[in-house]
Amino acid sequence: MIQPFTSDPLRWVAEDGRPIRELPDRFTPAVLRELHHEMVRAREFDKKLVTLLRQGRTTFYAQSSGMEATQVGLARSIRVGHDWVWPYYRDHALGLAMGVPLLDLISQCLGTNSDTCRGRQMPHHFAAQRQNFVSISSSIASQVPPAAGNAMAQKYLGVDELTVCTFGDGATSEGDWHAGMNMAGASGAPCLFVCENNQWAISTNLKAQTASETIHIKAKAYGMPGYYVDGNDIVAVMEVLSHVAEGVRAGNGPALVECLTYRVGSHSNADADAEKNYRTREEVNAWLARDPITRVERLLDHLGEPVSAEERADLISAVHREVDEAVLRAEATGQPDWRIMFEDVYADTPVHLREQAAFLRAEQEGVRA
Amino acid sequence: MTATQAKPQAATGTGETRTLTLIQAINEAMAEELARDDRVVIFGEDVGARGGVFLATAGLQAQFGPNRVFDTPLSEASIVGAAVGMAVRGLRPIAEIQFADYMGPGFDQIISQAAKIRYRSGGQFTAPLVIRTPSGGGVKGGHHHSQSPESYFAHTPGLKVVMPSTPYDAKGLLKAAVRGGDPVIYFEPKRLYRAAKGQVPVQDYTVEIGKGAVRREGTDLTVIGYGGVMPDAEKAAQALAAEGVQAEVIDLRSLVPWDRDLVLTSVAKTGRAVLVSEAPRTANFMGEVAYVIQEELFDSLLAPVMQVAGFDTPYPYVQDKVYLPGPNRIAAACVRALNY
């Protein structure tokens, strides 16, 4: 029933909320409501982070508004804390849905002492050991070969795990992407590649990115199946990813899933006037009409279980309170001091770094080195 | 501030040794680490059935099977990247890059992933791995089989960089690299693979990364090098000895971290330093050594620190031997320092 290499994206729910395939039993109104809540949580997190940016409390933020169904759906399709994830930098909805504490995400964006990454990376590059959510690199596609290696290790160890590797459409132009896809294909390692195709790599659109009609057909070149799914339909995302993950886990080798979605906002605060410079309001509006949160609301309407305006308002204010509290808690921990610069460079700090640390201590504290 | 002794020593036990070439020592190190720890895996281009282009991995696949020692696609980015992912997931990968000249496609993986993952994750994820690669000239390899790119990697925090010149060190450093907690770039001076022979203990031992060795004791000047230039440095010292000059010869063995105590103790004693490497001179790692010597010992120096290095040209094919700093060029720099 779920076939690779389809010409159109697989979908279960139309934009007006009508199921266009039989809705699987597991998508009860209660479950759909949970998914809706998780997506709203991610959306509101996004909005709050933009506010923090405007307040000067953080310096960079890359929104994922519009991509919630892909990321929340992915989190629901794997075994969190058991499988391993090599994410890219726009995956905070994925992290939230995987149970990474909101405080940790906020702390990383603010670079406070509560940041598990110890204030070493620019905002939006978090890591979470408990969830096997591996550290994000800014270097595009550089997570792809390591994800293949992670999966090769799982195969070697004979463990019942799989590796998930996410990336945007722009990453598929990088040499590392092709190298990693090829390595995974050649080794038959249990790696699930998920392209969150939001159609814009900063200001470069998909047509300028590749002459390939779609991303998922590239899987053919690496000897793995490629699936094409409507990334704004969370039912479709979960149905396809669960099915594909099961095959990968069963030893069928790696697979690529392309989730066709849209980044509604700008790439980051660095290009806040995206609509003026490189894309049209008409295009954005067309995608807003396919919004993943609205689609679930329409589906619930269709099922006779609508989300009331009051329920939605309560939900949104609860998220805002949660973020506000986390910001205060994070900020209360203060900023890491200079010492953290010299730690975690090596397993043990070598003498030249100890001397450089002593020099900085003298400078910072007026202590003789 | 103890100088590591020049003579190979057995770490423990009877002290029984036997003669190995440098490449035999590397092969033995890997065989023993594979046998010691199931997490150790070896991979790269042609390392399996063939045993590597220089036969560094010869026999290992036959002995340990294709799950432990295997060929990969022809892709340095894949090899290094996969090593990172394996290490993060708990294995101890030893990746071979067929020639150091081909590290370019794997460079992003080395500097963006291997070197950074511990730091950027706040220690939540680490990548202890070894990248072995033949480097340096002297085998008529032209510029894509002869380069010495160690300075690129020494410049990247998070990486350890080593280059042995003796079979004893080759084995001990490789074992230390496999057992350590950091990514190690392990350069192998390919012209010494079979030219360097020496006593290697039968029993297990390691050579600590970051410690240099005194190859020859002397009082008049200090010659400091690493890797493929070491035999020539020792020949230059012998020639000088015939003229009545006693040169102390130091083998750095590790570039990151490097043994500053050993170097500074020696140069404080002799008052003169000649730095030898075959990498191009500009931004050569030895520039860092020179900088530390002048900063710490300016008042004790009897002559400027001299550098003997490769030229700032791509490595030539026909002029292979002329490019390399041989004993004569090293001795000439020593004479300049002595006559300053």
Side-chain angles (χ1 to χ4, degrees):
Chain A
M1 179 175 162
I2 297 175
Q3 295 295 326
F5 301 117
T6 54
S7 52
D8 295 314
L10 295 163
R11 57 169 57 178
W12 264 254
V13 181
E15 285 157 22
D16 63 5
R18 274 182 309 107
I20 49 180
R21 293 185 185 214
E22 190 180 347
L23 205 61
D25 289 345
R26 64 173 169 151
F27 292 98
T28 62
V31 166
L32 289 169
R33 194 166 248 102
E34 269 178 37
L35 297 172
H36 171 261
H37 287 192
E38 284 189 52
M39 290 196 285
V40 170
R41 188 166 179 247
R43 177 74 54 91
E44 296 306 315
F45 180 92
D46 243 23
K47 289 182 186 168
K48 291 293 285 186
L49 263 291
V50 172
T51 304
L52 290 176
L53 195 65
R54 289 183 182 141
Q55 292 170 343
R57 288 156 104 171
T58 185
T59 57
F60 175 85
Y61 189 66
Q63 290 177 271
S64 62
S65 285
M67 300 167 65
E68 293 89 349
T70 292
Q71 294 187 18
V72 172
L74 171 57
R76 287 291 188 118
S77 304
I78 59 173
R79 297 187 200 171
V80 174
H82 182 78
D83 297 327
W84 285 64
V85 177
W86 288 78
Y88 88 122
Y89 59 78
R90 202 182 294 281
D91 270 339
H92 81 255
L94 174 62
L96 276 171
M98 286 176 64
V100 177
L102 188 138
L103 176 64
D104 289 1
L105 297 184
I106 294 280
S107 299
Q108 200 279 324
C109 289
L110 302 187
T112 56
N113 262 318
S114 48
D115 173 14
T116 55
C117 300
R118 311 189 73 196
R120 280 142 177 183
Q121 289 225 82
M122 67 187 292
H124 221 285
H125 288 64
F126 54 101
Q129 194 175 35
R130 187 180 292 272
Q131 284 78 18
N132 295 333
F133 190 98
V134 182
S135 167
I136 296 168
S137 171
S138 303
S139 187
I140 301 298
S142 74
Q143 74 276 24
V144 182
N150 197 112
M152 290 164 75
Q154 291 168 329
K155 187 177 178 185
Y156 174 86
L157 294 166
V159 291
D160 174 31
E161 300 170 3
L162 60 81
T163 300
V164 174
C165 180
T166 68
F167 40 83
D169 38 302
T172 65
S173 301
E174 289 278 9
D176 277 351
W177 187 81
H178 297 275
M181 293 288 291
N182 187 57
M183 189 71 157
S187 66
C191 201
L192 170 57
F193 296 101
V194 179
C195 178
E196 301 180 27
N197 178 2
N198 69 21
Q199 305 182 63
W200 288 92
I202 305 189
S203 63
T204 304
N205 68 20
L206 194 61
K207 279 193 177 156
Q209 194 71 244
T210 177
S212 201
E213 199 175 326
T214 62
I215 300 295
H216 78 283
I217 61 166
K218 295 173 192 267
K220 200 163 266 186
Y222 304 108
M224 65 180 83
Y227 295 85
Y228 196 24
V229 59
D230 182 336
N232 284 9
D233 172 1
I234 196 165
V235 174
V237 170
M238 287 175 61
E239 281 298 287
V240 173
L241 282 176
S242 302
H243 167 80
V244 177
E246 194 181 327
V248 171
R249 205 187 300 281
N252 296 347
L256 169 65
V257 179
E258 176 184 4
C259 297
L260 183 68
T261 183
Y262 194 75
R263 182 235 303 155
V264 173
S266 55
H267 158 69
S268 74
N269 53 302
D271 66 332
D273 49 359
E275 283 163 30
K276 197 169 109 192
N277 289 335
Y278 59 82
R279 62 189 192 187
T280 64
R281 174 41 52 183
E282 291 71 31
E283 179 185 300
V284 176
N285 285 342
W287 278 94
L288 284 172
R290 303 173 198 171
D291 184 81
I293 295 176
T294 308
R295 196 173 314 183
V296 170
E297 289 173 351
R298 288 174 180 161
L299 174 61
L300 283 163
D301 286 347
H302 181 83
L303 297 174
E305 301 264 356
V307 178
S308 70
E310 189 184 6
E311 184 183 350
R312 185 177 175 130
D314 286 350
L315 177 60
I316 289 171
S317 53
V319 179
H320 287 201
R321 272 198 310 277
E322 188 185 12
V323 174
D324 289 341
E325 282 168 20
V327 169
L328 292 176
R329 280 181 63 196
E331 287 181 337
T333 66
Q335 284 210 327
D337 74 11
W338 57 269
R339 286 177 186 79
I340 64 101
M341 279 173 54
F342 297 93
E343 295 164 5
D344 298 318
V345 183
Y346 296 96
D348 300 306
T349 307
V351 64
H352 66 288
L353 280 182
R354 290 202 298 272
E355 288 185 10
Q356 289 168 24
F359 167 84
L360 188 57
R361 178 171 177 239
E363 185 189 272
Q364 295 291 305
E365 300 180 357
V367 176
R368 185 178 292 274
Chain B
M1 208 177 286
T2 309
T4 309
Q5 293 304 302
K7 303 284 188 222
Q9 308 167 300
T12 54
T14 62
E16 190 184 344
T17 65
R18 70 271 190 263
T19 304
L20 295 181
T21 62
L22 190 124
I23 199 158
Q24 285 171 330
I26 290 169
N27 183 274
E28 268 200 10
M30 287 190 278
E32 290 176 15
E33 292 307 293
L34 283 163
R36 185 186 62 81
D37 186 347
D38 285 346
R39 299 173 303 165
V40 174
V41 291
I42 294 173
F43 52 92
E45 292 153 23
D46 304 308
V47 304
R50 175 175 158 81
V53 288
F54 291 100
L55 302 178
T57 54
L60 299 181
Q61 188 180 68
Q63 191 178 349
F64 295 96
N67 286 334
R68 307 286 306 282
V69 182
F70 53 91
D71 293 329
T72 64
L74 199 164
S75 166
E76 290 75 18
S78 294
I79 293 165
V80 178
V84 171
M86 288 182 194
V88 167
R89 185 57 194 86
L91 301 188
R92 289 281 174 159
I94 304 174
E96 179 178 305
I97 298 298
Q98 204 158 57
F99 286 89
D101 314 74
Y102 300 152
M103 291 175 90
F107 196 68
D108 180 44
Q109 290 301 318
I110 297 172
I111 65 167
S112 297
Q113 293 287 355
K116 305 290 197 317
I117 201 160
R118 177 191 292 276
Y119 195 72
R120 71 168 191 249
S121 70
Q124 294 181 83
F125 299 97
T126 63
L129 57 89
V130 183
I131 299 168
R132 291 180 37 248
T133 190
S135 76
V139 296
K140 282 280 182 189
H143 62 264
H144 279 156
H145 296 83
S146 305
Q147 294 170 95
S148 298
E150 58 270 16
S151 298
Y152 294 113
F153 301 100
H155 193 62
T156 299
L159 301 176
K160 289 186 172 177
V161 179
V162 304
M163 194 180 313
S165 73
T166 68
Y168 177 88
D169 289 348
K171 186 169 179 181
L173 280 170
L174 184 50
K175 282 169 165 269
V178 173
R179 298 176 195 184
D182 298 305
V184 179
I185 314 295
Y186 181 95
F187 288 101
E188 300 170 2
K190 66 173 88 68
R191 72 173 177 276
L192 301 185
Y193 269 150
R194 289 172 179 81
K197 292 180 184 152
Q199 293 297 302
V200 177
V202 171
Q203 289 204 338
D204 186 47
Y205 71 98
T206 59
V207 170
E208 183 182 353
I209 293 173
K211 294 292 179 194
V214 177
R215 298 295 179 208
R216 177 191 181 98
E217 293 190 357
T219 51
D220 299 327
L221 81 164
T222 306
V223 178
I224 304 154
Y226 60 86
V229 302
M230 288 314 301
D232 289 340
E234 292 188 56
K235 280 181 198 159
Q238 283 164 16
L240 291 167
E243 307 289 324
V245 173
Q246 296 305 320
E248 184 144 293
V249 179
I250 287 177
D251 183 347
L252 284 182
R253 305 199 287 195
S254 297
L255 305 192
V256 181
W258 65 281
D259 196 341
R260 289 187 301 171
D261 283 351
L262 181 65
V263 168
L264 293 176
T265 302
S266 176
V267 178
K269 178 178 73 177
T270 64
R272 297 177 176 89
V274 175
L275 311 181
V276 186
S277 72
E278 63 181 274
R281 182 184 178 102
T282 299
N284 185 307
F285 177 77
M286 284 304 203
E288 172 65 14
V289 177
Y291 161 76
V292 171
I293 291 171
Q294 68 81 23
E295 187 176 47
E296 297 293 327
L297 298 175
F298 188 73
D299 289 339
S300 314
L301 288 174
L302 302 172
V305 176
M306 304 286 175
Q307 181 160 200
V308 184
F311 300 102
D312 289 326
T313 67
Y315 196 97
Y317 172 68
V318 171
Q319 303 298 346
D320 191 29
K321 294 288 194 292
V322 177
Y323 180 93
L324 292 171
N328 292 342
R329 202 175 293 155
I330 297 167
C334 293
V335 170
R336 275 185 66 209
L338 289 161
N339 293 338
Y340 180 79

